[in-house]
Amino acid sequence: QVQLVESGGGLVQPGGSLRLSCAASGHIFSVGAMCWYRHATGKERELVASISSSGTTTYADSVKGRITISRDNAKNTVYLQLNSLKPEDTAVYYCNAYLRPSRGPSDTYWGQGTQVMVSS
């Protein structure tokens, strides 16, 4: 069974940094694009950043210059480096991956979410 497991969230002061990780595990044939979304209370879910299998990245305007997405294809893991954090970055962060399991068709998988809280 394929699953995505996130880690790295927590409480950080404004201006601080966090690094989120999301590892895909199970019987996986290939992993395509991987993304990070966030969902803040009272707001719609937002696509924060994405990275293709070849490393092409995109970012939401709200985080450009402060957040970096990267991946380790050997580990089927995607990372999100959060810098210069602001209170408005507070949200549950979810990773998402389009992947093909060893058996069955390609599909989109979601992690369980990790809470990031930015507060003094």
Coordinates of all heavy atoms in Angstrom, one line a residue, residues 35-40 43-49 59-63 66-67 88-94 110:
C35 N 4.0 18.0 -4.8 CA 3.5 19.3 -4.5 C 3.4 19.4 -3.0 O 3.2 18.4 -2.3 CB 2.2 19.6 -5.1 SG 2.1 19.3 -6.9
W36 N 3.3 20.7 -2.6 CA 2.9 21.0 -1.2 C 1.7 22.0 -1.3 O 1.8 23.0 -2.0 CB 4.1 21.7 -0.4 CG 5.1 20.7 0.0 CD1 6.3 20.5 -0.6 CD2 5.1 20.0 1.2 NE1 7.0 19.6 0.1 CE2 6.3 19.2 1.2 CE3 4.3 19.8 2.3 CZ2 6.7 18.3 2.2 CZ3 4.6 18.9 3.3 CH2 5.8 18.2 3.3
Y37 N 0.7 21.7 -0.5 CA -0.4 22.5 -0.4 C -0.5 23.0 1.1 O 0.1 22.3 2.0 CB -1.7 21.8 -0.7 CG -2.0 21.6 -2.1 CD1 -1.4 20.5 -2.8 CD2 -2.9 22.3 -2.8 CE1 -1.6 20.3 -4.2 CE2 -3.2 22.1 -4.2 CZ -2.6 21.1 -4.8 OH -2.8 20.9 -6.2
R38 N -1.2 24.0 1.4 CA -1.5 24.4 2.7 C -3.0 24.8 2.9 O -3.6 25.3 1.9 CB -0.6 25.5 3.2 CG -0.7 26.8 2.6 CD 0.3 27.8 3.1 NE 0.2 29.1 2.5 CZ 1.1 30.1 2.7 NH1 2.2 29.8 3.5 NH2 0.9 31.2 2.2
H39 N -3.5 24.6 4.1 CA -4.9 24.9 4.4 C -4.9 25.6 5.7 O -4.7 25.0 6.7 CB -5.8 23.7 4.4 CG -7.2 24.0 4.4 ND1 -8.2 23.0 4.7 CD2 -7.9 25.1 4.2 CE1 -9.4 23.6 4.7 NE2 -9.2 24.9 4.4
A40 N -5.2 26.9 5.7 CA -5.3 27.7 6.9 C -6.8 27.8 7.3 O -7.7 27.8 6.4 CB -4.7 29.1 6.7
K43 N -9.7 29.7 5.3 CA -9.2 30.0 4.0 C -9.3 28.8 3.1 O -9.4 27.7 3.6 CB -7.8 30.5 4.0 CG -7.6 31.8 4.8 CD -6.2 32.3 4.7 CE -6.0 33.6 5.4 NZ -4.6 34.1 5.3
E44 N -9.2 29.0 1.8 CA -9.2 27.9 0.9 C -7.8 27.2 0.8 O -6.8 27.9 1.1 CB -9.6 28.4 -0.5 CG -11.1 28.8 -0.6 CD -11.5 29.1 -2.0 OE1 -10.7 29.0 -2.9 OE2 -12.7 29.4 -2.2
R45 N -7.8 26.0 0.4 CA -6.5 25.3 0.3 C -5.7 26.0 -0.8 O -6.3 26.4 -1.9 CB -6.8 23.8 -0.1 CG -5.5 23.0 -0.2 CD -5.9 21.5 -0.5 NE -6.5 21.4 -1.8 CZ -7.1 20.3 -2.2 NH1 -7.1 19.2 -1.4 NH2 -7.6 20.2 -3.4
E46 N -4.4 26.1 -0.6 CA -3.6 26.8 -1.5 C -2.4 25.9 -1.9 O -1.8 25.3 -1.1 CB -3.0 28.1 -0.8 CG -2.0 28.9 -1.6 CD -1.4 30.0 -0.8 OE1 -1.3 30.0 0.4 OE2 -0.9 31.0 -1.5
L47 N -2.1 25.9 -3.3 CA -1.0 25.3 -3.8 C 0.2 26.1 -3.5 O 0.3 27.3 -4.0 CB -1.1 25.0 -5.3 CG 0.1 24.4 -6.0 CD1 0.5 23.1 -5.4 CD2 -0.1 24.3 -7.5
V48 N 1.2 25.7 -2.7 CA 2.3 26.4 -2.3 C 3.5 26.3 -3.2 O 4.1 27.3 -3.7 CB 2.8 26.0 -0.9 CG1 4.0 26.7 -0.5 CG2 1.7 26.2 0.2
A49 N 3.8 25.1 -3.6 CA 4.9 24.8 -4.5 C 4.8 23.5 -5.1 O 4.1 22.6 -4.6 CB 6.2 24.9 -3.7
Y59 N 6.1 28.2 -7.7 CA 5.8 28.7 -6.4 C 4.6 29.6 -6.4 O 4.4 30.4 -7.4 CB 7.0 29.4 -5.8 CG 8.2 28.6 -5.5 CD1 9.2 28.5 -6.5 CD2 8.3 27.8 -4.4 CE1 10.3 27.7 -6.3 CE2 9.4 27.0 -4.2 CZ 10.4 27.0 -5.1 OH 11.5 26.2 -4.9
A60 N 3.8 29.6 -5.4 CA 2.8 30.6 -5.2 C 3.4 32.0 -5.0 O 4.5 32.1 -4.4 CB 1.9 30.3 -4.0
D61 N 2.8 33.0 -5.5 CA 3.4 34.4 -5.3 C 3.5 34.7 -3.8 O 4.5 35.5 -3.5 CB 2.4 35.4 -6.0 CG 2.5 35.3 -7.5 OD1 3.5 34.8 -8.0 OD2 1.5 35.8 -8.1
S62 N 2.7 34.2 -3.0 CA 2.7 34.5 -1.6 C 4.0 34.0 -0.9 O 4.3 34.5 0.2 CB 1.5 34.0 -0.9 OG 1.4 32.6 -1.0
V63 N 4.7 33.1 -1.5 CA 5.8 32.4 -0.8 C 7.1 32.6 -1.6 O 8.2 32.2 -1.1 CB 5.6 31.0 -0.5 CG1 4.3 30.8 0.3 CG2 5.5 30.2 -1.8
R66 N 10.9 33.0 -0.2 CA 11.0 32.5 1.2 C 10.9 31.0 1.3 O 11.3 30.5 2.4 CB 9.8 33.1 2.0 CG 9.8 34.6 2.0 CD 8.7 35.2 3.0 NE 7.4 34.8 2.7 CZ 6.6 34.0 3.4 NH1 7.1 33.5 4.5 NH2 5.4 33.7 3.0
I67 N 10.4 30.3 0.3 CA 10.2 28.9 0.4 C 10.9 28.2 -0.8 O 10.9 28.7 -1.9 CB 8.7 28.6 0.4 CG1 8.1 29.0 1.7 CG2 8.4 27.1 0.1 CD1 6.6 28.8 1.9
E88 N 1.0 34.6 8.9 CA 0.1 34.2 7.8 C 0.5 32.9 7.1 O -0.3 32.3 6.3 CB -0.2 35.3 6.8 CG 1.1 35.9 6.2 CD 1.5 37.1 6.9 OE1 1.5 37.2 8.2 OE2 2.0 38.1 6.2
D89 N 1.7 32.4 7.4 CA 2.1 31.0 6.9 C 1.5 29.9 7.8 O 1.6 28.7 7.4 CB 3.6 30.9 6.9 CG 4.2 31.9 5.9 OD1 3.7 32.0 4.8 OD2 5.3 32.5 6.2
T90 N 0.9 30.3 8.9 CA 0.3 29.3 9.8 C -0.8 28.5 9.0 O -1.7 29.1 8.5 CB -0.3 29.9 11.0 OG1 0.7 30.5 11.8 CG2 -1.1 28.9 11.9
A91 N -0.7 27.2 9.0 CA -1.6 26.3 8.3 C -1.2 24.9 8.5 O -0.1 24.6 9.0 CB -1.6 26.6 6.8
V92 N -2.1 24.0 8.0 CA -1.7 22.6 7.9 C -1.1 22.4 6.5 O -1.8 22.8 5.5 CB -2.9 21.6 8.1 CG1 -2.5 20.2 7.9 CG2 -3.5 21.8 9.5
Y93 N 0.0 21.8 6.4 CA 0.7 21.6 5.1 C 0.6 20.2 4.7 O 0.9 19.3 5.5 CB 2.2 22.0 5.2 CG 2.4 23.5 5.3 CD1 2.0 24.3 6.4 CD2 2.9 24.2 4.2 CE1 2.2 25.7 6.4 CE2 3.1 25.6 4.2 CZ 2.7 26.3 5.3 OH 2.9 27.7 5.3
Y94 N 0.2 20.0 3.5 CA -0.1 18.7 2.9 C 0.9 18.4 1.7 O 1.0 19.3 0.9 CB -1.5 18.5 2.5 CG -2.5 18.6 3.6 CD1 -3.1 19.8 3.9 CD2 -3.0 17.5 4.3 CE1 -4.1 19.9 4.8 CE2 -4.0 17.6 5.2 CZ -4.5 18.8 5.5 OH -5.5 18.9 6.5
W110 N -2.1 11.7 -1.2 CA -2.0 12.8 -0.2 C -1.4 12.3 1.1 O -1.7 11.2 1.5 CB -3.4 13.4 0.1 CG -3.9 14.2 -1.1 CD1 -4.7 13.7 -2.1 CD2 -3.8 15.6 -1.3 NE1 -5.1 14.7 -3.0 CE2 -4.5 15.9 -2.5 CE3 -3.2 16.6 -0.6 CZ2 -4.6 17.2 -3.0 CZ3 -3.3 17.9 -1.1 CH2 -4.0 18.2 -2.3

